[in-house]
Amino acid sequence: MRALKALPWVTTVARLVLGGVLIAAGALKIGNPADSVVAVKAYQLLPEPVAVPVGYALPILEIVVGVLLVAGLLTRVAAVIAGLLMFAFVFGIAWAWAHGLRIDCGCFGGGGQLGVGQEPTYALDILRDFGLVLLGAWIVRYSPGRFSLDGALGLARDDASDADEEENE
């Protein structure tokens, strides 16, 4: 039963890591949203009329979802959005790689075409973002973890807490 007792703590760590990554990524882009637009356009996935608003909205979305995860508020909804975002990033990076584009992912600011002598890091970017997809899935399954506003407000209960109560009965 030790494993069940550890689940909420693992979920808390997953929430903090995924939320922290999203906050950092959004914060590094929000000061210069034009760079975010350049990064989104570099993937050549979206038509320009769509890429521009996506580029401007992405840092805000990352920060909002990250804050929700760190706070543990609307945890499952935030984790689903975060997981889908990360999956979209995995897809975009794989698309760029498959189509021979030489771009910086723009994940933490910057983005666009790579300079002479710079090499893309697609495999590492995909592995990192897929790992974050898995964290999102974990959070959805074992939400909300410890120290969450969802738990404090009575909006959600840990699945592991339910198991603890059943064991104690």
Side-chain angles (χ1 to χ4, degrees), residues 33-34 54-55 68 72 87 104 111 123 137 139 150 154 161 166 169:
V54 167
L68 288 172
F87 186 77
D104 178 314
I139 297 163
D150 283 345
S161 295
E166 289 174 13
E169 290 177 354

Side-chain angles (χ1 to χ4, degrees), residues 9-164:
W9 293 106
V10 173
T11 303
T12 302
V13 170
R15 260 187 28 232
L16 295 175
V17 169
L18 183 53
V21 167
L22 285 168
I23 292 168
L28 289 169
K29 290 184 259 196
I30 202 151
N32 194 352
D35 282 353
S36 182
V37 171
V38 168
V40 171
K41 286 180 178 180
Y43 283 92
Q44 301 174 13
L45 265 168
L46 302 172
E48 180 136 355
V50 176
V52 172
V54 167
Y56 281 111
L58 190 57
I60 297 165
L61 179 64
E62 289 171 328
I63 291 170
V64 169
V65 172
V67 167
L68 288 172
L69 285 170
V70 168
L73 182 61
L74 303 173
T75 308
R76 279 197 166 106
V77 172
V80 167
I81 294 169
L84 291 173
L85 251 161
M86 291 301 148
F87 186 77
F89 297 157
V90 167
F91 179 83
I93 294 164
W95 167 275
W97 196 0
H99 286 84
L101 303 178
R102 295 181 38 78
I103 61 173
D104 178 314
C105 77
C107 303
F108 296 96
Q113 298 300 317
L114 290 173
V116 176
Q118 290 181 303
E119 293 298 322
T121 57
Y122 297 137
L124 289 174
D125 295 337
I126 289 170
L127 285 174
R128 177 200 60 227
D129 289 352
F130 189 72
L132 295 170
V133 168
L134 295 176
L135 288 182
W138 178 276
I139 297 163
V140 169
R141 172 62 181 95
Y142 297 108
S143 223
R146 299 286 188 230
F147 307 115
S148 71
L149 287 177
D150 283 345
L153 297 172
L155 300 174
R157 293 177 45 140
D158 284 316
D159 293 336
S161 295
D162 294 341
D164 287 345

